[in-house]
């Protein structure tokens, strides 16, 4: 067995497409639903009204996340396809210019002119479009846009995140619902931040502080609005 086979590597960048959508979906599900529940509860609404508002937030939010991710990532995919079509035409019409363009890229990365030219020639002979897509346009299989994957991931993780504060409405006493929601939501966000950092191979501290700070800010804002107006939303 070669040394390369004995040393397999797993890079977190291969997860970037679904990981971004998953963290965004779960974070938005927790923050938006919990903030709405806290705001409605702070206004003096009864449990039925709070539960209806939270459930509506879960359904509407999941659909919104799915649609938003699908549209935005589809736009990215359309741009990638247009760039690849343009590059295909240039490879046919201006092969020498494209060859020199690839050579210049490799020279800028540290290869000498002759070696860069050899590398460009060999890569273009093997798969010219893939070489230019990867090294000129920055498009690769690992980071290419996947609209359906992003949409489904966002919808499912939003729903999972939103369920956590919604379930607390069913089990927490109404008199202490607001502080319980606030504490539990910040705990959920801290766990999410740590889990997202671990999955992506990043240090957890910064991620935990980031998500809990913005979550606390959202909760404080909606609680203040509920107290200020004191009406059922």
């Amino acid at each position: 067995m070669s040394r390369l086979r004995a040393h397999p590597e797993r890079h977190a960048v291969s997860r970037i497409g679904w990981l971004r959508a998953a963290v965004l979906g779960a974070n938005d599900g927790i923050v938006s639903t919990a903030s709405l529940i806290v705001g409605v509860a702070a206004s003096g609404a009864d449990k039925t009204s709070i539960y209806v508002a939270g459930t509506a937030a879960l359904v509407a939010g999941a659909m919104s996340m799915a649609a938003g991710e699908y549209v935005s990532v589809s736009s990215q995919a359309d741009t990638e396809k247009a760039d690849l079509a343009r590059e295909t035409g240039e490879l046919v019409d201006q092969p020498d210019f494209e060859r020199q363009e690839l050579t210049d890229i490799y020279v800028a990365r540290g290869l000498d002119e002759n070696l860069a030219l050899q590398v460009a020639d060999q890569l273009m002979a093997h798969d010219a479009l893939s070489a230019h897509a990867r090294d000129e346009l920055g498009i690769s299989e690992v980071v290419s846009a996947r609209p359906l994957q992003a949409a489904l991931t966002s919808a499912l993780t939003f729903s999972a995140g939103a369920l956590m504060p919604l379930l607390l409405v069913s089990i927490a006493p109404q008199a202490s619902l607001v502080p319980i929601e606030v504490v539990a939501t910040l705990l959920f966000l801290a766990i999410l931040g740590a889990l997202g950092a671990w999955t992506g191979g990043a240090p957890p501290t910064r991620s935990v502080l980031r998500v809990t700070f913005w979550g606390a800010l959202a909760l404080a804002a909606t609680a203040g609005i509920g107290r200020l107006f004191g009406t059922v939303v």
Side-chain angles (χ1 to χ4, degrees):
M1 180 181 292
S2 68
R3 291 181 63 187
L4 288 177
R5 291 187 178 182
H7 180 66
E9 293 187 352
R10 296 179 181 178
H11 296 289
V13 71
S14 62
R15 310 184 187 112
I16 196 168
W18 64 263
L19 180 58
R20 181 194 65 85
V23 171
L24 176 62
N27 183 81
D28 199 15
I30 294 171
V31 173
S32 62
T33 307
S35 297
L36 179 62
I37 288 171
V38 166
V40 175
S43 73
D46 57 61
K47 266 204 170 186
T48 300
S49 298
I50 297 170
Y51 197 79
V52 169
T55 303
L58 186 157
V59 176
M63 296 301 295
S64 176
M65 287 293 293
E69 282 289 335
Y70 188 82
V71 170
S72 64
V73 179
S74 292
S75 297
Q76 179 187 338
D78 291 342
T79 301
E80 290 177 357
K81 290 177 183 177
D83 281 342
L84 290 174
R86 188 179 304 111
E87 196 67 27
T88 300
E90 291 174 353
L91 286 168
V92 173
D93 299 334
Q94 308 174 65
D96 292 336
F97 177 82
E98 292 298 309
R99 175 173 173 260
Q100 186 59 49
E101 193 172 41
L102 207 57
T103 300
D104 292 341
I105 290 172
Y106 298 141
V107 169
R109 291 181 182 177
L111 300 183
D112 62 58
E113 183 78 25
N114 290 332
L115 181 56
L117 184 58
Q118 292 178 40
V119 172
D121 283 340
Q122 290 187 32
L123 288 177
M124 289 185 68
H126 176 67
D127 190 338
L129 182 59
S130 291
H132 281 271
R134 181 181 58 251
D135 295 324
E136 180 186 348
L137 304 177
I139 300 173
S140 70
E141 182 66 24
V142 172
V143 296
S144 61
R146 296 180 176 86
L148 189 58
Q149 180 192 65
L152 290 175
T153 301
S154 291
L156 290 174
T157 53
F158 181 97
S159 299
L163 273 174
M164 293 186 239
L166 189 58
L167 288 174
L168 288 175
V169 178
S170 301
I171 61 178
Q174 183 161 359
S176 54
L177 179 58
V178 171
I180 289 175
E181 279 283 358
V182 169
V183 173
T185 297
L186 294 179
L187 177 61
F188 293 152
L189 288 172
I191 293 171
L192 174 64
L195 184 60
W198 174 78
T199 306
T205 303
R206 182 179 297 179
S207 178
V208 170
L209 291 175
R210 184 166 53 226
V211 297
T212 52
F213 170 78
W214 289 108
L217 193 63
L219 291 165
T222 54
I225 291 171
R227 293 283 188 190
L228 178 64
F229 290 98
T231 56
V232 178
V233 178

